[in-house]
Amino acid sequence: MTPYPHLFRPLDLGFVELPNRVLMGSMHTGLEELADGHARMAAFYAERARGGVGLMVTGGFFPNRESAGFDGEGVFDNAAEAERHRVITDAVHAEGSRICLQILHTGRYAYHEHAVSASPIRSPINRHAPHELDDTGIEKQIADFAHCARMARLAGYDGVEIMGSEGYFLNQFIAQRVNKRTDRWGGSFENRIRLPLEVVRRVRAEVGDDFIVIFRLSMLDLVEGGSTWDEVVALAKQLEAAGVTLLNTGIGWHEARIPTIATMVPRAAFTRVTAKLMGAVSIPLITTNRINTPETAEAVLARGDADMVSMARPFLADPAFVVKAHEGRADEINTCIACNQACLDHIFTGRLASCLVNPRACHETEWASEPAEASRRAAVVGAAPAGMAAAVTAAERGHRVTLFDAADAIGGQFNLARRIPGKEEFRETLRYFARQLELHRVELRLGHWVTAVDLVEHGFDAVIVATGITPRVPPIEGIDHPKCVGYVDAIRDPVRIGHRVAIVGAGGIGFDVAELLTHAGPATSLDPDAFWSSWGIDRVLEARGGVEGVEATPEPSPREVWLLQRKTEKPGKRLGKSTGWIHRTELVRRGVKMLAGVNYDRIDDAGLHVTVDGQPRLLEVDHVVICAGQEPNRELFDALSTRGIETALVGGAHEAAELDAKRAIAEGTRAALDI
Ligand code: FAD
Ligand code: NAP
Ligand code: SF4
């Protein structure tokens, strides 16, 4: 008996039965544009199919040139392309799963001069303004959607998902925000929804009745000028009548300034939106956003918030999510921590998507973990992200591994990260590694400071040094003053920090420390109601777009905080592409004063003396928290090198500059594959 009865209840769609209630949601991975992308996508999707997902949706493919995100990329409009996709559909079917092609028309989000939309209104996140379509142009788009669906069927897909949310093309016609037309495609609500309905009817006519048609409906636009709830319901009903099989939930336009999937968003924070639509239509509803564990998914379904749950990034983190849940092995799931660092941030910066906690994601054909030719005795020093990944991978390959750490718990700096409000998910990575170390019988020696002599005496065959970093102590006059606190102590014991605080260093850790020190009550990441209020989302879903006329009410900060850096660029500029704006917005709303171009003069009883724009200033603070970057901790590595012992050096110990857990885990894994 599965511990998740609702999750594993089959879903009958009439012409096909899905084995469980899990949809792997669409993710653009970047494989779509590679020369060898089809074979790599086949490996990627097949691994998830093997892992038990009932139904999956590909990343977006474009029905024509004007709809493409980037000019000429990812267009799916002919039989030759359909033939190339056969390798994907065959691979998924061979594993017993089903797959739909997502048809994505980006409209005014297209980054090229051929972009088209309802009206020629440029998006705030794009420098290209779209061309306004005339009647003939609109007819062409509809025909291209239908043709693309036919090609998907030809390619062996089990269905299509028509992307109608997130502020893309169809959403641009639906919402009065950017549809300013006065013809039969704009103005009244009936006219604005004519295009999505026509697209669905024509797609259905093209593919026949026994083909899945999912429509991703924007149920909460999170922008002014979005749909009202009554409009959402009316459109949902008409989509059902037009031939949709499943309605998927879309939350928030890309240009919305409210976080919808980042780690500070509470788990399942938006399923109440889908829940409100339950009963209004008779086709199954899929809910989504920040569902990352089987417990959360089960609770959502058990509450009746939806008929099915969509998870996307959790399948980058762990392709075997479903089978592990089904077999009661949820504690073995590598949980997506919603950091976006290797998935969305990679895509937004033109790199292939992967996953911070699973560097094999989207590299399935390159990162094979073969059993070792001979089992060796391996020592890994440092039980933090780099060392834990190295130990688990080495043990998986058959080596006998001992993992050491001086601390009395695994995790290294991750133990600090998880204390930051909004980063509670980081605990899951520690839980995952703890379980994997146990499963693979890694000998864990905590509270053990390792020296080169120890390692020599024990005669290990292979050594991986993952000893991390030490915080940098900047050469500021008065750095030894009692007002100065390192970030490690500030995070471990924030209550000791006074009312007025200056933070030296506005990198990732400076921002996190500011977040911690400006939080009063419990984190909004753990309380959906508080999260909705804090970001100004209408809790009764009556406001247009969910936000019009609603005021954000963030918790006031209990401290007065200055966040400082020497560089003259905007503080936070180097934070994650998809999350930096959230951190900056949160701190600004709590009154944090960010200063760039700061010269630190000295610290004394009066506070921190700085010079900004040539003007001396005194920040009269109780404490100065030092977050000035880090230096590699190579003491052990150097001692081993002196003795001529060959070791692998990974993570922060290898290179502290621009270190993050993504690089640490990837380096640790790689080093273990080489033993
Ligand atoms: P470390 O985490 O530095 O750990 C090294 C370990 O080695 C320690 O446990 C130490 O006790 C042990 N050790 C050292 N010498 C010895 C010895 N001689 N014998 C035995 N044990 C030894 N990264 C992200 O990617 N995303 C984030 O959002 C993020 N947020 C962060 C927030 C905070 C507040 C902090 C502090 C860090 C954050 N990081 C984040 C950074 C991330 O935690 C680090 O990049 C990662 O922990 C580096 O891993 P590591 O394995 O190289 O070493
Ligand atoms: P960091 O991002 O490199 O920032 C270090 C800060 O210290 C910078 O603001 C730098 O700015 C300042 N600094 C450097 N040398 C200094 C000196 N001698 N005197 C005074 N100030 C100095 O490093 P971090 O904040 O320690 O973070 C470490 C790593 O953890 C980061 O690289 C990051 O990838 C990771 N992390 C990631 C996240 C995330 O959300 N993704 C969160 C936390 C940490 P100036 O030189 O301009 O003063
Ligand atoms: Fe999840 Fe982070 Fe991996 Fe993306 S990189 S899938 S957000 S854990």
Side-chain angles (χ1 to χ4, degrees), residues 313-314 316-317 335-344 354-357:
R313 296 170 299 169
L316 288 177
T335 304
C336 165
I337 58 173
C339 64
N340 289 351
Q341 285 176 239
C343 49
L344 283 180
S354 188
C355 175
L356 179 142
V357 298

mmCIF file of all heavy atoms in Angstrom, residues 313-314 316-317 335-344 354-357, ligand 3:
data_model
loop_
_atom_site.group_PDB
_atom_site.id
_atom_site.type_symbol
_atom_site.label_atom_id
_atom_site.label_comp_id
_atom_site.label_asym_id
_atom_site.label_seq_id
_atom_site.Cartn_x
_atom_site.Cartn_y
_atom_site.Cartn_z
ATOM 1 N N ARG A 313 10.768 21.251 -11.902
ATOM 2 C CA ARG A 313 12.141 21.219 -11.392
ATOM 3 C C ARG A 313 12.416 20.000 -10.496
ATOM 4 O O ARG A 313 13.539 19.472 -10.514
ATOM 5 C CB ARG A 313 12.446 22.533 -10.661
ATOM 6 C CG ARG A 313 12.416 23.749 -11.562
ATOM 7 C CD ARG A 313 12.490 25.045 -10.760
ATOM 8 N NE ARG A 313 11.356 25.168 -9.864
ATOM 9 C CZ ARG A 313 11.242 26.063 -8.896
ATOM 10 N NH1 ARG A 313 12.244 26.909 -8.685
ATOM 11 N NH2 ARG A 313 10.171 26.129 -8.144
ATOM 12 N N PRO A 314 11.419 19.511 -9.707
ATOM 13 C CA PRO A 314 11.716 18.316 -8.906
ATOM 14 C C PRO A 314 12.213 17.140 -9.737
ATOM 15 O O PRO A 314 12.893 16.254 -9.216
ATOM 16 C CB PRO A 314 10.372 18.012 -8.243
ATOM 17 C CG PRO A 314 9.747 19.359 -8.083
ATOM 18 C CD PRO A 314 10.120 20.118 -9.333
ATOM 19 N N LEU A 316 14.237 17.555 -12.375
ATOM 20 C CA LEU A 316 15.656 17.805 -12.655
ATOM 21 C C LEU A 316 16.448 17.273 -11.463
ATOM 22 O O LEU A 316 17.478 16.627 -11.607
ATOM 23 C CB LEU A 316 15.928 19.306 -12.817
ATOM 24 C CG LEU A 316 15.420 19.988 -14.096
ATOM 25 C CD1 LEU A 316 15.723 21.484 -14.045
ATOM 26 C CD2 LEU A 316 16.073 19.373 -15.327
ATOM 27 N N ALA A 317 15.933 17.581 -10.268
ATOM 28 C CA ALA A 317 16.636 17.187 -9.042
ATOM 29 C C ALA A 317 16.660 15.668 -8.872
ATOM 30 O O ALA A 317 17.671 15.110 -8.436
ATOM 31 C CB ALA A 317 15.973 17.847 -7.836
ATOM 32 N N THR A 335 15.619 16.386 -3.210
ATOM 33 C CA THR A 335 14.543 17.377 -3.326
ATOM 34 C C THR A 335 15.010 18.654 -4.011
ATOM 35 O O THR A 335 16.080 19.181 -3.696
ATOM 36 C CB THR A 335 14.032 17.712 -1.903
ATOM 37 O OG1 THR A 335 13.645 16.495 -1.278
ATOM 38 C CG2 THR A 335 12.854 18.669 -1.939
ATOM 39 N N CYS A 336 14.170 19.162 -4.887
ATOM 40 C CA CYS A 336 14.441 20.467 -5.509
ATOM 41 C C CYS A 336 14.285 21.542 -4.440
ATOM 42 O O CYS A 336 13.251 21.629 -3.779
ATOM 43 C CB CYS A 336 13.437 20.707 -6.632
ATOM 44 S SG CYS A 336 13.407 22.434 -7.165
ATOM 45 N N ILE A 337 15.320 22.361 -4.264
ATOM 46 C CA ILE A 337 15.273 23.393 -3.220
ATOM 47 C C ILE A 337 14.842 24.748 -3.791
ATOM 48 O O ILE A 337 14.930 25.768 -3.112
ATOM 49 C CB ILE A 337 16.627 23.507 -2.480
ATOM 50 C CG1 ILE A 337 17.772 23.819 -3.459
ATOM 51 C CG2 ILE A 337 16.896 22.230 -1.688
ATOM 52 C CD1 ILE A 337 19.105 24.100 -2.773
ATOM 53 N N ALA A 338 14.396 24.735 -5.042
ATOM 54 C CA ALA A 338 13.811 25.928 -5.677
ATOM 55 C C ALA A 338 14.782 27.105 -5.747
ATOM 56 O O ALA A 338 14.365 28.258 -5.721
ATOM 57 C CB ALA A 338 12.507 26.325 -4.965
ATOM 58 N N CYS A 339 16.079 26.787 -5.839
ATOM 59 C CA CYS A 339 17.082 27.862 -5.867
ATOM 60 C C CYS A 339 17.195 28.523 -7.243
ATOM 61 O O CYS A 339 17.670 29.658 -7.355
ATOM 62 C CB CYS A 339 18.440 27.286 -5.479
ATOM 63 S SG CYS A 339 19.043 26.045 -6.666
ATOM 64 N N ASN A 340 16.784 27.825 -8.281
ATOM 65 C CA ASN A 340 16.853 28.302 -9.682
ATOM 66 C C ASN A 340 18.270 28.465 -10.211
ATOM 67 O O ASN A 340 18.453 28.929 -11.343
ATOM 68 C CB ASN A 340 16.123 29.637 -9.869
ATOM 69 C CG ASN A 340 14.625 29.497 -9.765
ATOM 70 O OD1 ASN A 340 14.111 28.393 -9.725
ATOM 71 N ND2 ASN A 340 13.929 30.608 -9.717
ATOM 72 N N GLN A 341 19.272 28.120 -9.427
ATOM 73 C CA GLN A 341 20.646 28.479 -9.800
ATOM 74 C C GLN A 341 21.165 27.770 -11.051
ATOM 75 O O GLN A 341 21.929 28.353 -11.802
ATOM 76 C CB GLN A 341 21.583 28.196 -8.625
ATOM 77 C CG GLN A 341 21.462 29.220 -7.520
ATOM 78 C CD GLN A 341 22.326 28.877 -6.321
ATOM 79 O OE1 GLN A 341 21.817 28.725 -5.236
ATOM 80 N NE2 GLN A 341 23.614 28.734 -6.507
ATOM 81 N N ALA A 342 20.761 26.495 -11.228
ATOM 82 C CA ALA A 342 21.290 25.770 -12.390
ATOM 83 C C ALA A 342 20.228 25.559 -13.461
ATOM 84 O O ALA A 342 20.554 25.133 -14.559
ATOM 85 C CB ALA A 342 21.857 24.419 -11.954
ATOM 86 N N CYS A 343 18.973 25.846 -13.127
ATOM 87 C CA CYS A 343 17.931 25.644 -14.151
ATOM 88 C C CYS A 343 17.585 26.991 -14.781
ATOM 89 O O CYS A 343 18.159 27.368 -15.806
ATOM 90 C CB CYS A 343 16.720 24.916 -13.563
ATOM 91 S SG CYS A 343 16.094 25.585 -12.026
ATOM 92 N N LEU A 344 16.704 27.761 -14.134
ATOM 93 C CA LEU A 344 16.276 29.019 -14.777
ATOM 94 C C LEU A 344 17.420 29.999 -14.997
ATOM 95 O O LEU A 344 17.517 30.638 -16.048
ATOM 96 C CB LEU A 344 15.189 29.689 -13.924
ATOM 97 C CG LEU A 344 13.805 29.075 -14.049
ATOM 98 C CD1 LEU A 344 12.820 29.821 -13.176
ATOM 99 C CD2 LEU A 344 13.339 29.096 -15.492
ATOM 100 N N SER A 354 20.584 22.658 -15.846
ATOM 101 C CA SER A 354 20.954 21.472 -15.090
ATOM 102 C C SER A 354 20.344 21.633 -13.699
ATOM 103 O O SER A 354 19.306 22.292 -13.561
ATOM 104 C CB SER A 354 22.471 21.292 -15.037
ATOM 105 O OG SER A 354 22.764 20.035 -14.447
ATOM 106 N N CYS A 355 20.986 21.070 -12.702
ATOM 107 C CA CYS A 355 20.409 21.179 -11.364
ATOM 108 C C CYS A 355 21.518 21.271 -10.326
ATOM 109 O O CYS A 355 22.486 20.508 -10.390
ATOM 110 C CB CYS A 355 19.533 19.962 -11.082
ATOM 111 S SG CYS A 355 18.902 19.956 -9.404
ATOM 112 N N LEU A 356 21.361 22.186 -9.393
ATOM 113 C CA LEU A 356 22.367 22.352 -8.340
ATOM 114 C C LEU A 356 22.591 21.055 -7.574
ATOM 115 O O LEU A 356 23.733 20.670 -7.316
ATOM 116 C CB LEU A 356 21.928 23.476 -7.394
ATOM 117 C CG LEU A 356 22.833 23.784 -6.203
ATOM 118 C CD1 LEU A 356 22.892 25.288 -5.954
ATOM 119 C CD2 LEU A 356 22.365 23.098 -4.932
ATOM 120 N N VAL A 357 21.495 20.367 -7.240
ATOM 121 C CA VAL A 357 21.656 19.158 -6.420
ATOM 122 C C VAL A 357 21.878 17.901 -7.264
ATOM 123 O O VAL A 357 22.180 16.838 -6.722
ATOM 124 C CB VAL A 357 20.456 18.947 -5.456
ATOM 125 C CG1 VAL A 357 20.342 20.104 -4.482
ATOM 126 C CG2 VAL A 357 19.140 18.741 -6.197
HETATM 127 FE FE1 SF4 B 3 15.543 22.882 -8.198
HETATM 128 FE FE2 SF4 B 3 17.700 24.431 -7.814
HETATM 129 FE FE3 SF4 B 3 17.859 22.098 -9.132
HETATM 130 FE FE4 SF4 B 3 16.637 24.185 -10.272
HETATM 131 S S1 SF4 B 3 18.792 24.061 -9.722
HETATM 132 S S2 SF4 B 3 15.932 22.088 -10.223
HETATM 133 S S3 SF4 B 3 15.648 25.058 -8.509
HETATM 134 S S4 SF4 B 3 17.359 22.397 -6.972
#
